[in-house]
Amino acid sequence: MEKSNLTMLTDFYEITMANGYFCTDMADNIACFDMFFRRIPDDGGYAIMAGLEQVIEYLENLEFTDEDIEYLRKQKMFSEDFLKYLSEFKFTCDVWAIPEGTPIFPGEPILTVRGPVMQAQFVETMILLIVNHQSLIATKASRIVRAAAGRPVMEFGTRRAHGTAAAVYGARAAYIGGCAGTACTISDRDFGIPALGTMAHSWVQMYDDEYEAFKKYAEIYPTNCVLLVDTYNVLKSGVPTAIRVFKEMKPEKMGIRIDSGDITYLTKQARKMLDEAGLEDCSIVISNSLDEYLIRDVIQEGACIDSFGVGERLITAKSEPVFGGVYKLSALEKDGKLIPKIKISENVEKITNPGFKTVYRLFDRDSNRALADVIVLDGETIPEDGEYEIFDPNAVWKRKKITNFYAKNLRQQIFKEGKCIYKSPSIDEIKDYCRQQLDAMWDEMKRFENPQNYYVDLSYDLWKLKHDMIAASEK
Amino acid sequence: MEKSNLTMLTDFYEITMANGYFCTDMADNIACFDMFFRRIPDDGGYAIMAGLEQVIEYLENLEFTDEDIEYLRKQKMFSEDFLKYLSEFKFTCDVWAIPEGTPIFPGEPILTVRGPVMQAQFVETMILLIVNHQSLIATKASRIVRAAAGRPVMEFGTRRAHGTAAAVYGARAAYIGGCAGTACTISDRDFGIPALGTMAHSWVQMYDDEYEAFKKYAEIYPTNCVLLVDTYNVLKSGVPTAIRVFKEMKPEKMGIRIDSGDITYLTKQARKMLDEAGLEDCSIVISNSLDEYLIRDVIQEGACIDSFGVGERLITAKSEPVFGGVYKLSALEKDGKLIPKIKISENVEKITNPGFKTVYRLFDRDSNRALADVIVLDGETIPEDGEYEIFDPNAVWKRKKITNFYAKNLRQQIFKEGKCIYKSPSIDEIKDYCRQQLDAMWDEMKRFENPQNYYVDLSYDLWKLKHDMIAASEK
């Protein structure tokens, strides 16, 4: 859908800085930038990486068109030399990232760009925009799907999405996070995310009565017939009429959808009525302002629900609609030598991790469960034979010796000198990978409230580098 | 930017219903659908209509491509006759709407589509998506701009927007709601919304020290030099260094930006330092997780701020990221006669207003302030000479006689038989119109919390029709 050139979808300061680097002959200085985030939305125990495929598309299509150059010329801020430079712009950076569907944690460099500073800086806005959005929705979807405890969850939020891209890529991210499908047709056409939908209240209102509306629908869709039963009165009219039509028409698969009222009460009554009519196979679908908390509660109350349609609270991540990923300078190269950079802050968690880094996830050899993540400097490895000591970087007396484990580098190289060397998995592969990776995480860190903290530690070398740099800055 | 064909960006049920109407020879039955909303986000006193220009673009570009038809064929749910019908699909409906920038209120038909039911139903998803999103952001922006009490507010949220369209059209909506500009370059190129931006922390970190970074920037941008002063330490380093550079370089316009720390304390101290250095003209820009509440508070605390950059809390409408517009059947035509339709609910506010309607806003002739809105049935007028009695439709004993007023029909016809007959104003005209229309509203309804309720009444004829239909449904 979105093949348009989005080069100009960038914060204006990326352009003023680009011009600045150009004017001072620094444009080709090599710099490394990390994307990372500081807090998991909803104070959850994990987030889900998503959006990398769209980042790749963006980077592969970076190009300043004549129209863009003309627009910039009119700003009367930039020299013709700079505009010419932009018109010949080609992305030549290296990129590393954690693949989509991976559980990710605060502080981890989930994406790193290394290359000429003018380029590596310029792509900040769109990388953040794409990964922040899709990771937000994938994370929220994962929570909601978990609440549904095995019942399918459909993404139904298109009409409340923040614009077209939020609908399309939100459906994609929700699928990665575990949703079974979407109402958004274009996301099925373009990504193969199963789309489905049956009727609105208006379908029922178009007919003189509910019986006629249901019967016509069952005639047209005899293989899969889901009837919306709350246009007039769920228990007095909708369910009895649906039962009558199901018995007369005998569709192959049948279901009722309830979109209003008290879910627990209505589904219990409806289930009873359907069962008494011998329609034990008829499924009950619920779709009324749901989120993980409501779903958990109605299931606990014994509501009889076979699947959920979740709209606005998923597609907008309503309870916390911001994924706060940032993009910070981590190193410069001078004369072929890497010079780590750090951003100091009075707020400890806002101090960045310097240098070019990667992330290892340590798994227990027996249970295959994830034990901790360790951020290491480039070139460091984690010896898997023997003992490895991890420690809390903010409370170094908290130490733990790990044995009988294996370590997996979470990041892969995506671009090499501007050329994509990574093939995105299919959307179903990403979704399966996400489920597998979450299965490797302990349940106590998947709790909705006050989850157990998952450790993201620093290697000793990285920790020492960071603390030496903090100390040096205070002189 | 988004000229792509978005016909398939629709809930799948619009297509199953379309096929249903086609199969039952009802596709060309004439129906009226109203878009309206039930609650103002953040429990505010008013909302701002936005997104109409993009609705027009969408409707003008509606078309099922071969690729779309092929996708639908593969679903094995639709007949070749129906697919042929879709491939020849042309939008032929009439559309009425309240122009962008107008303050709007719950229950008002802000947009109505009248035409063959298959078409009028089909466009539901995208109309809701576009108008819900832009009205959400325009409304939030209006609150934030109001809190800033005359100081310019820039939209700075691109990197936290929910996808590309949310960034671009969010910037558009924020401008309509009163923002002075955006950081989003493409929104300037495509809509003429002033974009600006200066530097990130990484600019400062690229240099050996803050002085060099600032000086280079001032050399390159001598006409408008805004320096980011919180990379190391605002008061010990950032502000003194900025002062030194300003004095040496003497830029035409100068400013400092603070992006972290306590706004009130830092801006008061910075103002004092700047003034003592004779830099009374230097402006102070703040950009750290702001919204209307924080802005109001820091201004009350005496913070010295000249303008605000507002990011994630505006572009996501973080405090309440959902604008709950719905699209409901209001009438059918049979044999050239209009048959009003109503959707009954146990929840009084969920009962729809039947029939084809419009909205009048009544203004006091002396003050030109808006007194109330009245929803009327098609053909009804509001006599301006003499007395007009309005009443609360849910508490009919609350009555008020209005004199010395004039009434303005808020809606305009946008499409006639599928042809657009409305020319969207320029973005600056919409923004100005919004400001004027808000000026005509009493201040007490613009309060952030517990605003005075603005009355949206029904004409006596509409009220009677509605209540007769409710009574009939209960038999």
Side-chain angles (χ1 to χ4, degrees):
Chain A
M1 169 204 139
E2 200 166 311
K3 299 288 177 233
S4 29
N5 177 356
L6 296 171
T7 305
M8 295 293 274
L9 210 175
T10 189
D11 283 339
F12 198 79
Y13 81 3
E14 315 285 13
I15 302 176
T16 49
M17 284 192 284
N19 179 53
Y21 293 131
F22 179 81
C23 292
T24 54
D25 287 326
M26 289 171 72
D28 291 332
N29 288 16
I30 302 298
C32 293
F33 287 85
D34 289 334
M35 173 172 183
F36 62 92
F37 66 104
R38 298 190 182 108
R39 236 195 91 244
I40 298 169
D42 292 319
D43 293 318
Y46 63 96
I48 301 292
M49 175 75 179
L52 183 58
E53 188 172 338
Q54 282 64 47
V55 168
I56 293 171
E57 269 177 43
Y58 162 72
L59 294 175
E60 287 190 316
N61 289 294
L62 262 184
E63 182 190 15
F64 292 88
T65 64
D66 293 348
E67 184 195 8
D68 300 338
I69 300 293
E70 195 44 47
Y71 159 77
L72 291 173
R73 182 173 286 124
K74 281 193 192 141
Q75 306 311 306
K76 298 190 197 304
M77 293 173 70
F78 309 114
S79 70
E80 283 302 315
D81 284 350
F82 176 64
L83 297 178
K84 181 158 184 297
Y85 171 81
L86 287 187
S87 70
E88 291 163 1
F89 176 94
K90 244 183 89 48
F91 182 70
T92 62
C93 296
D94 298 324
V95 179
W96 293 260
I98 295 179
E100 296 190 87
T102 310
I104 50 175
F105 299 90
E108 298 180 341
I110 57 178
L111 189 149
T112 294
V113 179
R114 178 197 163 280
V117 64
M118 184 267 164
Q119 298 179 31
Q121 173 74 66
F122 184 82
V123 297
E124 171 186 32
T125 306
M126 270 293 279
I127 286 176
L128 290 177
L129 166 62
I130 294 170
V131 176
N132 277 335
H133 170 236
Q134 289 200 42
S135 299
L136 175 74
I137 304 302
T139 303
K140 183 70 173 177
S142 179
R143 291 168 65 85
I144 292 173
V145 166
R146 187 169 166 76
R151 297 164 187 82
V153 173
M154 299 290 292
E155 186 285 298
F156 270 10
T158 309
R159 65 190 55 193
R160 304 279 162 79
H162 290 185
T164 52
V168 176
Y169 297 104
R172 179 183 186 275
Y175 191 64
I176 291 174
C179 283
T182 180
C184 185
T185 312
I186 202 169
S187 302
D188 188 3
R189 191 195 69 184
D190 293 355
F191 302 126
I193 299 163
L196 62 81
T198 57
M199 64 176 70
H201 296 116
S202 54
W203 172 271
V204 180
Q205 290 179 281
M206 282 294 291
Y207 293 86
D208 289 333
D209 60 40
E210 217 169 19
Y211 171 69
E212 198 190 342
F214 286 178
K215 180 146 181 170
K216 287 282 183 202
Y217 193 86
E219 279 171 26
I220 299 164
Y221 298 108
T223 53
N224 190 4
C225 181
V226 178
L227 301 172
L228 179 61
V229 295
D230 69 341
T231 304
Y232 302 113
N233 184 307
V234 174
L235 300 178
K236 284 188 193 157
S237 164
V239 176
T241 308
I243 289 172
R244 181 179 162 199
V245 168
F246 289 146
K247 290 196 154 186
E248 285 174 17
M249 307 294 297
K250 301 190 172 39
E252 273 174 51
K253 282 167 75 176
M254 59 195 123
I256 60 169
R257 179 162 76 94
I258 302 174
D259 190 43
S260 59
D262 187 81
I263 296 168
T264 302
Y265 174 73
L266 291 175
T267 58
K268 281 184 183 179
Q269 297 298 317
R271 184 74 270 161
K272 201 162 157 242
M273 292 162 77
L274 290 165
D275 290 351
E276 282 170 5
L279 300 174
E280 289 86 356
D281 289 348
C282 179
S283 63
I284 298 178
V285 186
I286 292 298
S287 58
N288 181 22
S289 291
L290 300 166
D291 61 15
E292 63 270 43
Y293 305 104
L294 257 165
I295 288 176
R296 177 188 59 187
D297 287 353
V298 297
I299 289 177
Q300 274 178 356
E301 291 163 7
C304 302
I305 299 170
D306 298 288
S307 73
F308 294 95
V310 180
E312 62 194 39
R313 296 191 189 188
L314 166 54
I315 204 70
T316 68
K318 184 168 186 277
S319 51
E320 184 160 6
V322 173
F323 194 89
V326 296
Y327 188 83
K328 297 288 177 190
L329 184 70
S330 63
L332 291 175
E333 272 183 36
K334 265 191 186 159
D335 311 319
K337 207 174 150 263
L338 202 77
I339 300 164
K341 286 278 175 176
I342 193 166
K343 164 97 176 69
I344 308 287
S345 169
E346 283 184 33
N347 190 333
V348 175
E349 69 176 12
K350 280 200 165 186
I351 300 178
T352 62
N353 290 319
F356 184 85
K357 304 168 294 289
T358 193
V359 190
Y360 280 89
R361 182 156 296 165
L362 278 41
F363 294 90
D364 181 68
R365 273 198 195 280
D366 294 331
S367 67
N368 288 308
R369 296 283 182 137
L371 301 167
D373 287 2
V374 184
I375 308 175
V376 305
L377 285 167
D378 188 35
E380 280 192 89
T381 53
I382 295 187
E384 294 176 354
D385 45 354
E387 216 173 59
Y388 183 78
E389 190 176 58
I390 57 173
F391 60 96
D392 185 326
N394 297 319
V396 292
W397 62 92
K398 290 192 188 171
R399 291 170 175 271
K400 191 178 174 182
K401 289 198 169 85
I402 294 182
T403 53
N404 191 37
F405 71 97
Y406 57 96
K408 195 185 150 196
N409 186 344
L410 291 185
R411 310 210 315 171
Q412 299 197 27
Q413 187 161 5
I414 311 298
F415 280 80
K416 190 170 181 178
E417 294 174 12
K419 198 176 162 323
C420 181
I421 58 168
Y422 174 83
K423 194 181 168 317
S424 281
S426 74
I427 189 82
D428 283 307
E429 287 166 345
I430 297 171
K431 181 184 160 83
D432 287 348
Y433 176 76
C434 182
R435 194 181 37 72
Q436 288 161 17
Q437 296 303 304
L438 273 180
D439 285 349
M441 295 281 161
W442 299 99
D443 281 349
E444 42 270 51
M445 46 157 295
K446 300 174 196 164
R447 214 179 288 141
F448 299 142
E449 286 120 359
N450 296 322
Q452 171 68 9
N453 186 38
Y454 181 77
Y455 275 100
V456 178
D457 296 332
L458 308 184
S459 71
Y460 176 75
D461 288 356
L462 175 55
W463 181 85
K464 184 162 188 318
L465 172 68
K466 182 174 183 173
H467 281 259
D468 287 350
M469 290 181 76
I470 294 171
S473 79
E474 282 167 354
K475 277 175 195 165
Chain B
M1 169 205 139
E2 201 168 312
K3 298 291 176 228
S4 31
N5 176 356
L6 296 171
T7 305
M8 295 293 274
L9 210 177
T10 188
D11 282 339
F12 198 79
Y13 81 5
E14 315 287 11
I15 302 176
T16 50
M17 285 193 283
N19 179 53
Y21 294 131
F22 179 80
C23 292
T24 53
D25 287 327
M26 288 171 72
D28 290 334
N29 287 16
I30 301 298
C32 293
F33 287 85
D34 288 335
M35 174 174 182
F36 62 93
F37 66 104
R38 298 190 181 109
R39 239 196 90 245
I40 298 169
D42 292 318
D43 294 318
Y46 63 95
I48 301 291
M49 175 74 177
L52 183 57
E53 188 171 339
Q54 282 65 46
V55 168
I56 293 171
E57 269 178 43
Y58 162 71
L59 294 174
E60 287 190 316
N61 288 295
L62 261 184
E63 182 190 14
F64 291 88
T65 64
D66 293 346
E67 184 195 7
D68 300 338
I69 300 292
E70 195 43 46
Y71 160 77
L72 291 173
R73 182 174 287 124
K74 282 194 192 140
Q75 307 309 307
K76 298 191 196 305
M77 293 173 69
F78 310 114
S79 70
E80 283 302 316
D81 283 353
F82 176 63
L83 297 178
K84 182 160 184 298
Y85 171 82
L86 287 188
S87 71
E88 291 164 0
F89 177 93
K90 246 185 88 48
F91 183 69
T92 63
C93 296
D94 298 324
V95 179
W96 292 260
I98 294 179
E100 296 190 88
T102 310
I104 50 176
F105 299 91
E108 297 181 341
I110 57 179
L111 188 148
T112 295
V113 180
R114 178 197 164 279
V117 64
M118 183 268 165
Q119 297 179 32
Q121 173 74 67
F122 184 82
V123 297
E124 172 186 31
T125 306
M126 270 293 280
I127 287 175
L128 290 178
L129 166 64
I130 295 169
V131 176
N132 277 335
H133 170 235
Q134 290 200 41
S135 298
L136 175 74
I137 304 302
T139 302
K140 184 70 175 177
S142 179
R143 291 168 66 85
I144 292 173
V145 167
R146 186 168 166 76
R151 296 164 188 82
V153 174
M154 298 291 291
E155 187 284 299
F156 269 11
T158 309
R159 64 190 55 193
R160 303 280 161 82
H162 290 185
T164 51
V168 177
Y169 297 104
R172 179 183 188 274
Y175 191 64
I176 290 174
C179 284
T182 180
C184 186
T185 313
I186 203 170
S187 302
D188 188 3
R189 189 196 69 184
D190 293 355
F191 302 126
I193 298 162
L196 63 82
T198 58
M199 65 176 70
H201 296 115
S202 53
W203 173 272
V204 181
Q205 291 180 280
M206 283 293 291
Y207 293 86
D208 289 333
D209 61 39
E210 216 170 20
Y211 171 70
E212 197 190 342
F214 287 177
K215 181 146 182 171
K216 287 283 181 200
Y217 194 86
E219 278 171 26
I220 300 164
Y221 299 109
T223 53
N224 190 4
C225 182
V226 179
L227 301 172
L228 179 61
V229 294
D230 68 341
T231 303
Y232 302 114
N233 185 307
V234 174
L235 300 179
K236 286 189 191 155
S237 163
V239 175
T241 308
I243 288 171
R244 180 178 162 201
V245 169
F246 290 146
K247 290 196 153 184
E248 286 174 17
M249 306 295 297
K250 301 191 175 37
E252 274 175 49
K253 282 166 74 177
M254 59 196 123
I256 59 169
R257 179 161 76 93
I258 302 174
D259 190 44
S260 60
D262 188 81
I263 296 169
T264 302
Y265 173 73
L266 291 176
T267 59
K268 281 184 183 179
Q269 296 299 319
R271 184 74 273 160
K272 202 164 156 239
M273 291 162 78
L274 290 165
D275 290 352
E276 283 170 7
L279 301 174
E280 289 87 355
D281 289 349
C282 179
S283 63
I284 299 178
V285 186
I286 292 298
S287 59
N288 181 21
S289 292
L290 301 166
D291 62 15
E292 63 270 44
Y293 304 105
L294 257 166
I295 290 176
R296 177 188 59 188
D297 287 354
V298 296
I299 289 177
Q300 274 177 356
E301 291 162 9
C304 301
I305 301 170
D306 298 286
S307 73
F308 294 95
V310 180
E312 61 192 40
R313 297 191 188 187
L314 166 54
I315 204 71
T316 68
K318 184 167 186 276
S319 52
E320 185 161 4
V322 173
F323 195 89
V326 295
Y327 188 83
K328 297 287 176 190
L329 184 72
S330 63
L332 291 175
E333 271 183 37
K334 266 191 184 158
D335 310 319
K337 207 174 150 266
L338 201 77
I339 301 165
K341 287 278 174 175
I342 192 167
K343 164 97 175 67
I344 307 288
S345 168
E346 282 184 34
N347 189 332
V348 175
E349 70 177 12
K350 280 200 164 186
I351 300 178
T352 62
N353 290 318
F356 184 86
K357 306 167 292 288
T358 193
V359 190
Y360 279 89
R361 182 156 295 165
L362 278 43
F363 293 89
D364 181 68
R365 274 198 195 282
D366 293 332
S367 66
N368 287 310
R369 295 283 183 140
L371 300 167
D373 287 2
V374 184
I375 308 175
V376 306
L377 286 167
D378 188 37
E380 279 193 89
T381 53
I382 295 188
E384 294 177 355
D385 46 353
E387 213 173 63
Y388 184 78
E389 188 176 58
I390 57 173
F391 61 96
D392 184 326
N394 297 318
V396 291
W397 62 92
K398 289 192 189 169
R399 291 169 175 272
K400 189 177 176 184
K401 288 199 170 85
I402 294 182
T403 53
N404 191 35
F405 71 97
Y406 58 95
K408 193 184 151 199
N409 186 345
L410 290 186
R411 308 207 320 168
Q412 298 199 28
Q413 187 160 6
I414 311 298
F415 280 80
K416 192 171 182 179
E417 295 174 9
K419 200 176 162 322
C420 180
I421 58 170
Y422 174 82
K423 195 179 167 317
S424 281
S426 74
I427 190 80
D428 283 307
E429 285 166 346
I430 296 172
K431 182 184 159 83
D432 287 348
Y433 176 76
C434 182
R435 195 181 37 73
Q436 288 161 18
Q437 296 302 304
L438 273 181
D439 285 348
M441 296 280 160
W442 299 98
D443 280 350
E444 43 269 53
M445 46 158 295
K446 299 174 197 164
R447 214 178 289 141
F448 299 143
E449 286 120 0
N450 296 322
Q452 171 70 8
N453 186 37
Y454 181 77
Y455 275 102
V456 178
D457 296 332
L458 307 184
S459 71
Y460 175 75
D461 288 356
L462 174 56
W463 181 86
K464 186 164 186 317
L465 171 68
K466 181 174 185 172
H467 282 259
D468 288 350
M469 290 180 77
I470 295 171
S473 79
E474 284 166 351
K475 279 175 193 163

